[in-house]
Amino acid sequence: MIHSIYSNKDVFLRELISNASDALDKLRLEALRGTELRADTSDLHIEIEVDKEHRTLTVRDNGIGMTHDEVVGLIGTIAKSGTAEFLRELKESKDAAASQDLIGQFGVGFYSGFMVADQVTLVTRHATETRGTRWESTGEGTYTIEELDEAPQGTSVILRLKPEDTEDSLFDYTSPWKIKEIVKRYSDFITWPIRMATESTDADADANATTDAEAEAEADKSEDEAGEKAGDEPRLETLNSMKALWARSRDEVSDDEYHEFYKHISHDWNNPLETIRMQAEGTFEYQALLFIPSQAPLDLFMRERKRGVQLYVKRVFIMDDCEELMPEYLRFVKGVVDAQDLSLNVSRETLQQDRQIQLMRRRLVKKVLSTVKDMMSENAEGYATFWKEFGRAVKEGLLDDFENRDAILEISSFASTHDPERPTTLRQYLDRMKDGQQHIYYMTGESRSIIESSPHMEAFREKGYEVLLLTDPIDEMWVGSVPEFDGKQFQSIAKGQVDLDTEEEKKEGEAEREQRKKDFAELLSWMTTTLSEQVKEVRLSSRLTTSPACVVGDTHDVTPQLENMFRAMGQDMPQIKRILELNPTHPLVTGLREAHSADPDAAGLAETAELIHGMAVLAEGGELGDPARFIKLMADRLQHTL
């Protein structure tokens, strides 16, 4: 399982240090809240201990620790055979997105130790308890667990290391040089001291200044020799700088450091798509370091999803997933916000009313949206990835973030009839609009193919008007509440009357239209009465060129798709009758008019009207009220043609 998730074995130490850092954050937070603890919080730290003789590596923290039940729940369940089988299937299917969802659970980061160890032992005691727990496994699907009468505060992870195998990128993780290199690369920014006992020798210092294999070997040799000298006492050395990346200037931090910090807070193994820095000074000071991921998490549309921004106050961790800092539609944004003027004992309840938090949120949202807008012009490929991964979530903001609605529309992309492959922005749509065009035309539906084959498209296709093809469920919601973009009204091609003729064409065809109204008046009146249970009106269409009929909604009617969505959510919806439009040039419609004119009471006319309405419903992907009756009528008609 672990080999299917991680490609670089060095990251096991990053994962264990990250878990330890989280445990220290949680302990300090509980202390700030006044929780009664059986723990010393005066010197919170992470310690790495190496035993070369027994080839063990220990990562120890004096943080919050775990209860017996938490050990079973967070670690033990991953070892169950069913989970192992599931992960084997993941590996075979190479479903990286699915396995990504497992990262972020303590158990998966912890289990990365099995890449370098053939046995892992965990000893832990929760800060509110006196008894501890010991867990041990060789990573072969089983484990042992026992309660301990005594255990040190926090959590210790002891790895019995596998033999060194450089061909398999399995290095000597008892080497202080190697450990220092990994900590510097992946965990330098951790805000807690990461300590390790080292020998105070010049050779060790020289080894720290280089990265080649010879220096590593020489450093280890020097340390061994130094340890044999009488009077040389190991000293605890702090391996990380503990400087918060968000507090350092941009030219002091490399992209690699930003990427590793992102992986630390997000438990993602991909680099972020974009890094966003903010610093506000003056009466209200705060710093922010935000990231836009390159891949959407699996829980993006799940009810129990989490938002990804952490809140710090004066470098002190306060809470994960601070919902007040980022709106729901930007829940995928990860990062850290460090405020200087908030109280250390701030709670989620008081955050909702805090004016400074609200001000920060407004600025953070505007910065994220402006960053995406910059991507559109400066990094088209990155923007395309962003919209593919997060566009559905971003469009949710059109429903409730009125202040930023225009900014959201600016960064939105939609499929359209202009290009069968690439989506278009609204700005690009406006640039291509025909002279005199007053509306942004769109149609909602379940898929592009269904919309493109809809009768509603016929006149727009014939006259060369571009239509947006909106297929996300959220599209059904926002188009009804967003009236316009940059002065141009949104107009559904499946609602209301459609008039695509120019003024000149209207004048030329006025006499013909008036004559058609007279010719079809009786048929339309009769069909409206005959189909009164299904439709509110039957009228002539100006949007059809090849189909005999289509059904449309009134301008403010709920679409059938939205109606079905509401019903699926358990809401009672009254039946919404729609309008049946007839193509006055289609032979079926002209033939029906002639038959009705010759004998209004002729047998079969009413059934023909039913069939025309049923075909119109099916043509737009709708559902018939009585499919069995429609099939019977169709079969009878076909029989008479033979």
Side-chain angles (χ1 to χ4, degrees), residues 69 78 81 89 380 386 393 405 420 445 574 585-586:
D69 288 345
I78 268 189
S81 59
E89 292 175 5
F386 167 82
R405 180 176 280 174
T585 64
H586 194 280

Side-chain angles (χ1 to χ4, degrees), residues 85-104:
E85 179 63 29
F86 167 68
L87 291 164
R88 275 196 294 273
E89 292 175 5
L90 276 187
K91 185 175 181 180
E92 291 171 4
S93 66
K94 295 182 171 53
D95 191 344
S99 48
Q100 178 186 0
D101 192 46
L102 296 165
I103 298 293

Side-chain angles (χ1 to χ4, degrees), residues 90-218:
L90 276 187
K91 185 175 181 180
E92 291 171 4
S93 66
K94 295 182 171 53
D95 191 344
S99 48
Q100 178 186 0
D101 192 46
L102 296 165
I103 298 293
Q105 302 175 38
F106 181 96
V108 177
F110 165 78
Y111 262 65
S112 65
F114 283 101
M115 290 192 296
V116 301
D118 51 29
Q119 178 178 293
V120 177
T121 303
L122 176 139
V123 177
T124 185
R125 175 173 66 83
H126 194 271
T128 60
E129 299 185 345
T130 57
R131 293 170 61 82
T133 302
R134 188 177 192 271
W135 180 100
E136 189 169 277
S137 176
T138 56
E140 297 176 349
T142 62
Y143 62 88
T144 61
I145 189 167
E146 61 178 319
E147 291 195 30
L148 304 175
D149 291 332
E150 293 184 359
Q153 170 187 331
T155 300
S156 297
V157 179
I158 304 103
L159 307 177
R160 190 178 70 190
L161 296 168
K162 297 176 181 178
E164 182 179 359
D165 184 356
T166 53
E167 290 186 4
D168 190 33
S169 299
L170 188 62
F171 301 104
D172 181 9
Y173 294 109
T174 65
S175 163
W177 175 89
K178 184 62 178 177
I179 291 170
K180 291 177 183 180
E181 180 203 22
I182 296 172
V183 171
K184 191 69 178 175
R185 182 188 306 164
Y186 294 118
S187 307
D188 190 57
F189 50 81
I190 296 290
T191 54
W192 304 103
I194 303 171
R195 299 170 183 162
M196 182 174 69
T198 60
E199 301 290 346
S200 179
T201 67
D202 292 337
D204 184 41
D206 293 339
N208 289 337
T210 185
T211 59
D212 60 33
E214 290 181 4
E216 177 185 355
E218 185 62 32

Side-chain angles (χ1 to χ4, degrees), residues 383 475 482 575 604 618:
Y383 167 75
D475 293 329
V482 180
Q575 182 187 3
L618 291 174

Side-chain angles (χ1 to χ4, degrees), residues 86-349:
F86 167 68
L87 291 164
R88 275 196 294 273
E89 292 175 5
L90 276 187
K91 185 175 181 180
E92 291 171 4
S93 66
K94 295 182 171 53
D95 191 344
S99 48
Q100 178 186 0
D101 192 46
L102 296 165
I103 298 293
Q105 302 175 38
F106 181 96
V108 177
F110 165 78
Y111 262 65
S112 65
F114 283 101
M115 290 192 296
V116 301
D118 51 29
Q119 178 178 293
V120 177
T121 303
L122 176 139
V123 177
T124 185
R125 175 173 66 83
H126 194 271
T128 60
E129 299 185 345
T130 57
R131 293 170 61 82
T133 302
R134 188 177 192 271
W135 180 100
E136 189 169 277
S137 176
T138 56
E140 297 176 349
T142 62
Y143 62 88
T144 61
I145 189 167
E146 61 178 319
E147 291 195 30
L148 304 175
D149 291 332
E150 293 184 359
Q153 170 187 331
T155 300
S156 297
V157 179
I158 304 103
L159 307 177
R160 190 178 70 190
L161 296 168
K162 297 176 181 178
E164 182 179 359
D165 184 356
T166 53
E167 290 186 4
D168 190 33
S169 299
L170 188 62
F171 301 104
D172 181 9
Y173 294 109
T174 65
S175 163
W177 175 89
K178 184 62 178 177
I179 291 170
K180 291 177 183 180
E181 180 203 22
I182 296 172
V183 171
K184 191 69 178 175
R185 182 188 306 164
Y186 294 118
S187 307
D188 190 57
F189 50 81
I190 296 290
T191 54
W192 304 103
I194 303 171
R195 299 170 183 162
M196 182 174 69
T198 60
E199 301 290 346
S200 179
T201 67
D202 292 337
D204 184 41
D206 293 339
N208 289 337
T210 185
T211 59
D212 60 33
E214 290 181 4
E216 177 185 355
E218 185 62 32
D220 291 341
K221 179 181 177 183
S222 299
E223 287 167 353
D224 291 340
E225 292 172 352
E228 295 170 2
K229 295 179 181 178
D232 279 349
E233 291 294 328
R235 61 184 176 84
L236 281 178
E237 179 183 349
T238 299
L239 307 183
N240 59 323
S241 69
M242 294 182 289
K243 291 186 68 175
L245 261 65
W246 60 87
R248 295 161 63 181
S249 63
R250 177 65 182 90
D251 55 6
E252 291 181 2
V253 186
S254 69
D255 287 342
D256 285 343
E257 288 178 294
Y258 280 134
H259 294 169
E260 290 307 323
F261 180 72
Y262 163 74
K263 293 172 184 176
H264 165 67
I265 62 173
S266 68
H267 299 284
D268 187 0
W269 61 80
N270 297 306
N271 289 334
L273 191 62
E274 195 71 35
T275 301
I276 304 171
R277 286 178 48 88
M278 285 185 69
Q279 183 158 337
E281 298 177 345
T283 55
F284 178 48
E285 296 185 2
Y286 64 90
Q287 297 158 322
L289 181 58
L290 305 178
F291 301 93
I292 297 176
S294 56
Q295 187 177 47
L298 286 189
D299 67 351
L300 186 62
F301 296 101
M302 294 181 183
R303 181 167 295 182
E304 301 302 321
R305 58 186 172 255
K306 291 184 177 181
R307 301 182 212 177
V309 177
Q310 300 176 351
L311 176 63
Y312 282 69
V313 175
K314 300 183 183 72
R315 311 284 175 85
V316 176
F317 173 80
I318 301 299
M319 68 180 68
D320 268 321
D321 311 315
C322 184
E323 297 181 1
E324 287 72 24
L325 285 173
M326 201 62 63
E328 180 75 6
Y329 70 93
L330 295 179
R331 56 188 173 273
F332 52 85
V333 175
K334 308 292 184 184
V336 166
V337 175
D338 189 354
Q340 305 302 309
D341 304 307
L342 291 176
S343 169
L344 284 175
N345 61 358
V346 66
S347 67
R348 292 190 184 274
E349 291 72 25

Side-chain angles (χ1 to χ4, degrees), residues 15 96 257 270 303 333 335 341 352 362 396 401 465 552 589 596 602:
E15 294 297 311
E257 288 178 294
N270 297 306
R303 181 167 295 182
V333 175
D341 304 307
Q352 295 175 358
R362 290 180 63 189
E396 294 173 15
D401 190 354
Y465 282 91
V552 301
V589 176
H596 178 268

